[in-house]
Amino acid sequence: FWQKPMEVPSSERVVEAAPEPKLWADEYDEFAELRKRVYRSYIFEERCAAGAALKEAGNGLLNAGDFEVALGQYDEGLFHVDFDEFQRIELRDEHRRLLHGVRIPLLLNSVLCHLKMNPPEHSATRLVTAEVRCDEVLKLEPNNSKAQFRRAQLHARAGEDERARVLLEALCAAFPSERAFRAELAALSERMRQA
């Protein structure tokens, strides 16, 4: 019943080379998918805590002026607190508040990083990404003044001065004591006068 395997002469044997070590960070990481599944399997509170810790790390980097690395921290934090629509529906009110308390600052701070970074070759992509994140915040909190302010800054950065002016005027009317809104409107008005 059992047959001895046929021996291949040593001159005909194919020797497979060992895989080369990875030299570039963008090469496929076979453990990346596994790590993502493990992170996604954390319980809700652990995921929110991880997002909050990454937000704090990003805030330190943002304050130090390292916008690219801070954006990476915020993006990773958003990964941890990203729940699909069905999961969000099932959340209780206290969990929804906890999630929004972490997710909204991550979104807004990532928009700020996009605004502060200046490489011209990526500015259009950055502005679109930042606008999508502002929209997400405004879906969660339609009256969020910081998201409306960031959106006005994005329009100004994109050269849509009239739209930015309208948004800033509405913000100044709604929040007359907010100096940042008035300062941005004054700077925009001055730039429009000079143009």
Side-chain angles (χ1 to χ4, degrees), residues 31-74:
F31 295 108
E33 292 301 316
L34 178 62
R35 276 195 305 272
K36 284 181 183 178
R37 280 194 304 250
V38 168
Y39 290 146
R40 295 289 182 167
S41 70
Y42 287 175
I43 61 173
F44 177 83
E45 288 81 2
E46 289 174 338
R47 286 176 63 179
C48 286
L54 288 161
K55 177 184 70 101
E56 293 304 319
N59 289 350
L61 293 162
L62 180 67
N63 291 335
D66 196 351
F67 307 121
E68 191 79 36
V69 179
L71 180 61
Q73 295 292 306
Y74 295 137

Coordinates of all heavy atoms in Angstrom, one line a residue, residues 31-74:
F31 N 0.6 40.7 8.6 CA 0.0 40.7 9.9 C -0.9 42.0 10.1 O -1.6 42.1 11.1 CB 1.1 40.7 11.0 CG 1.8 39.4 11.0 CD1 3.1 39.4 10.6 CD2 1.2 38.2 11.4 CE1 3.8 38.2 10.6 CE2 1.9 37.0 11.4 CZ 3.2 37.0 11.0
A32 N -0.9 42.9 9.1 CA -1.7 44.1 9.2 C -3.2 43.8 9.4 O -3.9 44.3 10.2 CB -1.4 45.0 8.1
E33 N -3.6 42.9 8.5 CA -5.1 42.5 8.6 C -5.4 41.8 9.9 O -6.5 42.1 10.5 CB -5.4 41.6 7.4 CG -5.4 42.3 6.0 CD -6.3 43.5 6.0 OE1 -7.5 43.4 6.4 OE2 -5.9 44.5 5.5
L34 N -4.5 41.0 10.4 CA -4.8 40.3 11.7 C -4.8 41.4 12.8 O -5.7 41.3 13.7 CB -3.7 39.3 11.9 CG -3.8 38.6 13.2 CD1 -5.1 37.8 13.3 CD2 -2.6 37.6 13.4
R35 N -3.9 42.3 12.8 CA -3.8 43.4 13.8 C -5.1 44.2 13.7 O -5.7 44.5 14.8 CB -2.7 44.3 13.6 CG -1.4 43.8 14.2 CD -0.3 44.9 14.3 NE 0.0 45.5 13.1 CZ 0.9 45.1 12.2 NH1 1.6 44.0 12.4 NH2 1.1 45.8 11.1
K36 N -5.6 44.5 12.5 CA -6.9 45.2 12.4 C -8.0 44.5 13.0 O -8.9 45.0 13.7 CB -7.2 45.6 11.0 CG -6.3 46.7 10.4 CD -6.7 47.0 9.0 CE -5.8 48.1 8.4 NZ -6.1 48.3 7.0
R37 N -8.1 43.2 12.7 CA -9.2 42.4 13.3 C -9.1 42.3 14.8 O -10.1 42.3 15.5 CB -9.2 41.0 12.7 CG -9.8 40.9 11.3 CD -10.1 39.5 10.9 NE -8.9 38.7 11.0 CZ -8.2 38.2 10.0 NH1 -8.7 38.4 8.8 NH2 -7.1 37.5 10.1
V38 N -7.9 42.2 15.3 CA -7.7 42.1 16.8 C -8.2 43.5 17.4 O -8.9 43.5 18.4 CB -6.3 41.8 17.1 CG1 -6.0 42.1 18.6 CG2 -6.0 40.4 16.8
Y39 N -7.8 44.6 16.8 CA -8.2 45.9 17.3 C -9.7 46.1 17.3 O -10.3 46.6 18.2 CB -7.5 47.0 16.6 CG -6.0 47.2 16.8 CD1 -5.2 47.6 15.7 CD2 -5.5 46.9 18.0 CE1 -3.9 47.8 15.9 CE2 -4.1 47.0 18.2 CZ -3.3 47.5 17.1 OH -2.0 47.6 17.3
R40 N -10.3 45.6 16.2 CA -11.7 45.7 16.0 C -12.5 44.8 17.0 O -13.7 45.0 17.3 CB -12.2 45.3 14.6 CG -11.7 46.3 13.6 CD -12.4 47.6 13.6 NE -11.9 48.4 12.6 CZ -12.4 49.5 12.2 NH1 -13.5 49.9 12.8 NH2 -11.9 50.2 11.2
S41 N -11.8 43.8 17.5 CA -12.5 42.9 18.5 C -12.5 43.4 19.9 O -13.1 42.8 20.8 CB -11.9 41.5 18.4 OG -10.6 41.5 18.9
Y42 N -11.7 44.5 20.2 CA -11.7 45.0 21.5 C -13.1 45.5 21.9 O -13.9 45.8 21.0 CB -10.8 46.3 21.6 CG -9.4 46.0 21.5 CD1 -8.5 47.1 21.5 CD2 -8.8 44.8 21.5 CE1 -7.1 46.9 21.4 CE2 -7.5 44.6 21.5 CZ -6.6 45.6 21.4 OH -5.3 45.4 21.4
I43 N -13.4 45.5 23.2 CA -14.7 45.9 23.6 C -14.8 47.4 23.4 O -13.8 48.1 23.3 CB -15.0 45.5 25.0 CG1 -14.0 46.1 26.0 CG2 -15.1 44.0 25.2 CD1 -14.4 45.9 27.5
F44 N -16.0 47.9 23.4 CA -16.3 49.3 23.1 C -15.5 50.3 23.9 O -14.8 51.2 23.4 CB -17.8 49.6 23.3 CG -18.2 51.0 23.1 CD1 -18.5 51.4 21.8 CD2 -18.3 51.9 24.1 CE1 -18.8 52.7 21.5 CE2 -18.7 53.2 23.9 CZ -18.9 53.6 22.6
E45 N -15.5 50.1 25.2 CA -14.7 51.0 26.1 C -13.2 51.1 25.8 O -12.6 52.1 25.9 CB -15.0 50.7 27.5 CG -16.4 51.0 28.0 CD -17.4 49.9 27.7 OE1 -17.0 48.9 27.1 OE2 -18.6 50.2 28.0
E46 N -12.7 49.9 25.5 CA -11.2 49.8 25.2 C -10.9 50.6 23.9 O -9.9 51.3 23.8 CB -10.8 48.4 25.0 CG -10.7 47.6 26.3 CD -10.4 46.2 26.2 OE1 -10.6 45.6 25.1 OE2 -9.9 45.6 27.1
R47 N -11.8 50.4 22.9 CA -11.6 51.2 21.6 C -11.7 52.7 21.8 O -10.9 53.4 21.3 CB -12.6 50.7 20.6 CG -12.3 49.3 20.1 CD -13.3 48.8 19.1 NE -13.4 49.5 17.9 CZ -14.2 49.2 16.9 NH1 -15.0 48.2 17.0 NH2 -14.3 50.0 15.8
C48 N -12.7 53.1 22.6 CA -12.8 54.5 22.9 C -11.6 55.0 23.7 O -11.1 56.1 23.4 CB -14.1 54.8 23.6 SG -15.6 54.7 22.6
A49 N -11.1 54.2 24.6 CA -9.9 54.6 25.4 C -8.7 54.7 24.5 O -7.9 55.7 24.7 CB -9.7 53.7 26.6
A50 N -8.6 53.8 23.6 CA -7.4 53.9 22.7 C -7.5 55.1 21.8 O -6.5 55.8 21.6 CB -7.4 52.6 21.8
G51 N -8.7 55.4 21.3 CA -8.9 56.6 20.5 C -8.6 57.9 21.3 O -8.0 58.8 20.8
A52 N -9.0 57.9 22.6 CA -8.8 59.1 23.4 C -7.3 59.2 23.7 O -6.7 60.4 23.7 CB -9.5 59.0 24.7
A53 N -6.6 58.1 23.9 CA -5.1 58.2 24.2 C -4.4 58.7 22.9 O -3.5 59.5 23.0 CB -4.6 56.8 24.6
L54 N -4.8 58.3 21.7 CA -4.2 58.7 20.5 C -4.5 60.2 20.3 O -3.7 60.9 19.7 CB -4.7 57.8 19.3 CG -4.0 56.5 19.3 CD1 -4.8 55.5 18.5 CD2 -2.6 56.5 18.9
K55 N -5.7 60.6 20.7 CA -6.1 62.0 20.5 C -5.1 62.9 21.4 O -4.6 63.9 20.9 CB -7.5 62.3 21.0 CG -7.9 63.7 20.9 CD -9.3 63.9 21.5 CE -9.4 63.7 22.9 NZ -9.5 64.9 23.8
E56 N -4.9 62.4 22.6 CA -4.0 63.2 23.5 C -2.5 63.2 22.9 O -1.9 64.3 23.0 CB -4.0 62.6 24.9 CG -5.3 62.8 25.6 CD -5.7 64.2 25.7 OE1 -4.9 65.1 26.0 OE2 -6.9 64.5 25.5
A57 N -2.1 62.1 22.4 CA -0.8 62.1 21.8 C -0.7 63.0 20.6 O 0.3 63.7 20.4 CB -0.4 60.6 21.4
G58 N -1.8 63.0 19.8 CA -1.8 63.9 18.6 C -1.9 65.4 19.1 O -1.2 66.2 18.4
N59 N -2.6 65.7 20.2 CA -2.6 67.0 20.6 C -1.2 67.5 21.0 O -0.9 68.7 20.7 CB -3.6 67.1 21.8 CG -5.0 67.0 21.4 OD1 -5.4 67.0 20.3 ND2 -5.9 66.8 22.4
G60 N -0.5 66.7 21.7 CA 0.9 67.1 22.0 C 1.7 67.4 20.8 O 2.5 68.4 20.7
L61 N 1.6 66.5 19.8 CA 2.3 66.7 18.5 C 1.8 68.0 17.8 O 2.6 68.7 17.2 CB 2.2 65.5 17.6 CG 2.9 64.3 18.2 CD1 2.4 63.0 17.5 CD2 4.4 64.4 18.0
L62 N 0.5 68.2 17.8 CA -0.1 69.4 17.2 C 0.5 70.6 17.8 O 0.9 71.6 17.1 CB -1.6 69.3 17.3 CG -2.4 70.4 16.6 CD1 -2.2 70.4 15.1 CD2 -3.8 70.3 17.0
N63 N 0.5 70.7 19.1 CA 1.0 71.9 19.8 C 2.5 72.1 19.6 O 3.0 73.2 19.6 CB 0.8 71.7 21.3 CG -0.7 71.8 21.6 OD1 -1.5 72.4 20.9 ND2 -1.1 71.2 22.7
A64 N 3.2 71.0 19.3 CA 4.7 71.1 19.0 C 4.9 71.5 17.5 O 6.0 71.7 17.1 CB 5.4 69.8 19.3
G65 N 3.8 71.5 16.7 CA 4.0 71.9 15.3 C 4.3 70.7 14.4 O 4.6 70.9 13.2
D66 N 4.2 69.5 14.8 CA 4.5 68.3 14.0 C 3.1 67.8 13.5 O 2.6 66.8 13.9 CB 5.2 67.2 14.8 CG 5.8 66.2 14.0 OD1 5.6 66.2 12.7 OD2 6.6 65.3 14.5
F67 N 2.6 68.5 12.4 CA 1.3 68.3 12.0 C 1.1 66.9 11.3 O 0.1 66.3 11.4 CB 0.8 69.4 11.0 CG 1.0 70.8 11.6 CD1 1.8 71.7 11.1 CD2 0.4 71.1 12.8 CE1 2.0 73.0 11.6 CE2 0.5 72.3 13.4 CZ 1.3 73.3 12.8
E68 N 2.1 66.5 10.5 CA 2.0 65.2 9.8 C 1.9 64.1 10.7 O 1.1 63.2 10.6 CB 3.3 65.1 8.9 CG 3.1 63.9 7.9 CD 2.3 64.3 6.7 OE1 2.3 65.4 6.2 OE2 1.6 63.4 6.2
V69 N 2.7 64.0 11.8 CA 2.7 62.9 12.7 C 1.4 63.0 13.6 O 0.8 62.0 13.9 CB 4.0 62.9 13.6 CG1 4.0 61.8 14.6 CG2 5.2 62.8 12.7
A70 N 1.0 64.2 13.9 CA -0.2 64.4 14.7 C -1.4 63.9 13.9 O -2.3 63.2 14.4 CB -0.4 65.9 15.0
L71 N -1.4 64.2 12.6 CA -2.5 63.7 11.8 C -2.5 62.2 11.7 O -3.6 61.5 11.8 CB -2.3 64.2 10.3 CG -3.4 63.8 9.3 CD1 -4.8 64.2 9.8 CD2 -3.1 64.3 7.9
G72 N -1.4 61.5 11.7 CA -1.3 60.1 11.8 C -1.9 59.5 13.1 O -2.6 58.5 13.1
Q73 N -1.6 60.2 14.2 CA -2.2 59.8 15.5 C -3.7 60.0 15.5 O -4.5 59.1 15.9 CB -1.6 60.7 16.6 CG -0.2 60.5 16.9 CD 0.2 59.1 17.4 OE1 -0.4 58.7 18.4 NE2 1.0 58.4 16.7
Y74 N -4.2 61.1 14.9 CA -5.7 61.3 14.8 C -6.3 60.3 13.9 O -7.4 59.7 14.2 CB -6.0 62.7 14.4 CG -5.5 63.8 15.3 CD1 -4.9 64.9 14.8 CD2 -5.7 63.7 16.7 CE1 -4.5 65.9 15.7 CE2 -5.3 64.7 17.5 CZ -4.7 65.8 17.0 OH -4.3 66.8 17.9

